[in-house]
């Protein structure tokens, strides 16, 4: 029996149990296999329910589990770490026709995924303010510096009010008072022990995204100004620094 | 926009940003001081102490008997001397290491 057949039968209840499995105590191998199959599927659905609690609340437990079941069968885990499972769940939701009426669901899932990623990301010391202040000694070089970003940082951009929808499920604000199709952006980050969701205006998001692409400070500022002529870099950089996004400022060189 | 104004805008942004950041750090430090914990000697169970020595040493969890007088635990400030310690001459935890009374 190959592992491949065993795994395929685990995920597809229409396939017969592998014919050459044996049990140690004479019980029916087909029944034992069915129990195992059920446990595998149920625990993977449970892992998704743990990672995406707000999505589950938004569509209800039954719908969520049915949707998760489809996903589990289509995309079994490729890593033994259950906290990693469901990287592709948001894009699956986007394509999942029965959920089409809840258009913001995929973006809320993206936010929840970023939160779990941030939670498990590496720790990092915050920016050394004294060292960063030294960069001010030669302001002509400032535009050539690049920012190193916190390893836990993730950036979300949604066509919907995904951030407010998520917040409303943490007891902050209500679903009723928010405008669902108001585009929103956020930075998800874990500067020390707690994962934080920091709402960003579009210009700040554009700037942070440019820094994340390893653009120099100067290039990031220029490219943000192309789409946001009135970009207030002081306000934006202040916000990103307070959020703990930037952990170091480094000269020139593309990071390898 | 030319290079000089870019540099000037970034310099201003960075200096105000860093100033706000160190102000925030100071505030947090103050906040920590207020809701402080204190070292309390003589209240830890065997092997459950925090550490007596400084950074880089690991003596946490090394106390060899309950209520050891030279081993401490971090407790909320103000509660130490109200925590019972049968080995302590005062009957309660102390803020300094003490000689255990003979039982």
């Amino acid at each position: 029996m190959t592992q491949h057949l065993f795994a395929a039968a685990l995920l597809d209840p229409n396939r017969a149990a592998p014919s050459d499995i044996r049990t140690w105590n004479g019980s029916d191998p087909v029944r034992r296999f069915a129990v195992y199959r059920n446990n595998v599927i149920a625990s993977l659905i449970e892992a998704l329910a743990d990672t995406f609690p707000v999505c589950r609340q938004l569509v209800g437990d039954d719908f969520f589990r049915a949707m998760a079941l489809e996903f589990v069968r289509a995309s079994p885990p490729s890593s033994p770490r259950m906290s990693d499972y469901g990287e592709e769940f948001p894009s699956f939701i986007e394509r999942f026709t029965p959920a089409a009426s809840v258009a913001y669901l995929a973006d809320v899932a993206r936010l929840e995924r970023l939160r779990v990623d941030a939670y498990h990301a590496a720790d990092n010391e915050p920016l050394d303010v004294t060292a960063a202040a030294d960069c001010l000694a030669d302001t002509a070089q400032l535009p050539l510096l690049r920012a190193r970003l916190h390893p836990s940082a993730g950036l979300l951009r949604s066509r919907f009010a995904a951030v407010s929808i998520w917040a409303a499920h943490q007891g902050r604000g209500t679903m009723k008072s928010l405008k669902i199709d108001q585009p929103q952006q956020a930075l998800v980050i874990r500067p020390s022990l707690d994962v934080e969701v920091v709402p960003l205006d579009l210009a700040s998001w554009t700037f942070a995204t440019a820094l994340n692409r390893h653009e120099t400070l100067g290039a990031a500022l220029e490219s943000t100004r192309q789409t946001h002529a009135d970009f207030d870099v002081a306000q934006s950089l202040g916000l990103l620094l307070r959020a703990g996004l930037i952990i170091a400022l480094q000269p020139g060189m593309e990071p390898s | 926009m030319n290079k000089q104004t870019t540099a000037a805008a970034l310099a201003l942004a960075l200096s105000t940003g860093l100033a706000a950041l160190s102000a925030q750090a100071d505030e947090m430090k103050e906040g920590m001081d207020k809701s402080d914990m204190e070292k309390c000697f003589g209240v830890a169970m065997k092997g459950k102490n925090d550490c007596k020595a400084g950074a880089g040493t690991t003596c946490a969890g090394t106390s060899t008997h309950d209520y050891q007088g030279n081993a401490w635990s971090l407790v909320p400030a103000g509660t130490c001397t109200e925590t019972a310690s049968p080995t302590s001459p005062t009957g309660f935890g102390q803020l300094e290491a003490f000689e255990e009374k003979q039982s």
Side-chain angles (χ1 to χ4, degrees):
Chain A
M1 175 180 61
T2 65
Q3 271 194 358
H4 171 74
L5 283 175
F6 187 87
L10 270 184
L11 293 169
D12 183 356
N14 294 321
R15 281 177 188 249
S19 56
D20 47 356
I21 49 174
R22 302 277 175 273
T23 51
W24 65 279
N25 60 357
S27 57
D28 177 9
V30 173
R31 278 198 66 180
R32 303 319 300 166
F33 187 80
V35 169
Y36 183 56
R37 171 153 61 198
N38 191 49
N39 283 346
V40 167
I41 300 284
S43 59
L44 291 175
I45 291 175
E46 204 53 49
L48 292 171
D50 282 350
T51 300
F52 302 96
V54 174
C55 289
R56 198 182 52 155
Q57 289 175 56
L58 284 168
V59 295
D61 205 43
D62 291 346
F63 187 99
F64 183 87
R65 279 172 193 281
M67 180 167 70
L69 175 62
E70 298 276 320
F71 175 77
V72 167
R73 293 206 170 124
S75 313
S78 52
S79 146
R81 286 192 303 249
M82 281 299 95
S83 57
D84 286 351
Y85 187 48
E87 285 295 339
E88 317 85 20
F89 193 50
S91 28
F92 173 87
I93 293 176
E94 210 157 46
R95 298 188 310 268
F96 187 65
T97 330
S101 62
V102 198
Y104 50 81
L105 190 62
D107 284 345
V108 174
R110 288 192 175 93
L111 178 56
E112 297 201 286
R113 184 65 249 175
L114 286 176
R115 284 180 51 83
V116 175
D117 288 343
Y119 186 80
H120 292 282
D123 291 336
N124 212 100
E125 290 294 310
L127 178 73
D128 180 340
V129 176
T130 321
D134 289 345
C135 300
L136 289 165
D138 187 359
T139 52
Q141 290 300 308
L142 266 186
L144 303 176
L145 297 181
R146 288 187 163 84
R148 209 147 63 79
L149 305 191
H150 197 283
S152 69
L155 289 157
L156 174 82
R157 181 182 185 181
S158 173
R159 288 184 292 126
F160 305 97
V163 183
S164 298
I165 293 169
W166 176 83
H169 288 78
Q170 319 299 315
R172 279 176 258 153
T174 61
M175 286 291 279
K176 266 185 199 154
S177 61
L178 58 87
K179 269 182 63 191
I180 296 282
D181 48 8
Q182 168 75 47
Q184 286 185 337
Q185 303 72 228
L187 164 68
V188 179
I189 190 165
R190 185 177 57 79
S192 53
L193 293 177
D194 298 322
V195 178
E196 284 161 23
V197 176
V198 185
L200 295 180
D201 57 280
L202 185 56
S204 295
W205 180 89
T206 307
F207 185 61
T209 304
L211 296 180
N212 195 29
R213 281 196 304 265
H214 306 297
E215 284 186 21
T216 61
L217 296 183
L221 174 55
E222 294 293 340
S223 64
T224 307
R225 282 211 163 121
Q226 277 171 18
T227 45
H228 300 85
D230 57 349
F231 177 50
D232 181 348
V233 64
Q235 185 266 333
S236 202
L237 193 60
L239 174 66
L240 298 176
L241 283 170
R242 280 198 307 282
L245 175 65
I246 296 171
I247 52 173
L249 292 169
Q250 300 165 322
M253 306 303 285
E254 284 282 353
S256 50
Chain B
M1 201 166 77
N2 67 37
K3 286 204 167 77
Q4 269 180 340
T5 52
T6 302
L10 283 170
L12 179 67
L14 187 60
S15 59
T16 49
L18 291 178
L21 206 57
S22 42
Q24 186 188 29
D26 288 348
E27 245 170 61
M28 275 174 60
K29 227 188 243 168
E30 257 171 51
M32 295 263 283
D33 289 344
K34 276 176 206 153
S35 63
D36 211 355
M37 305 286 279
E38 63 190 5
K39 291 180 184 180
C40 187
F41 288 86
V43 295
M45 291 294 130
K46 172 183 170 183
K48 299 284 184 195
N49 63 309
D50 294 323
C51 193
K52 187 175 190 300
T57 64
T58 50
C59 59
T62 56
S63 64
T64 53
H65 57 269
D66 290 351
Y67 306 110
Q68 194 170 307
N70 64 359
W72 55 262
S73 292
L74 275 180
V75 299
T79 63
C80 177
T81 52
E82 293 165 7
T83 307
S85 172
T87 60
S88 168
T90 62
F92 295 97
Q94 298 191 31
L95 298 174
E96 301 289 334
F98 57 82
E99 195 81 16
E100 290 163 36
K101 64 179 184 191
Q102 301 299 315
S103 50

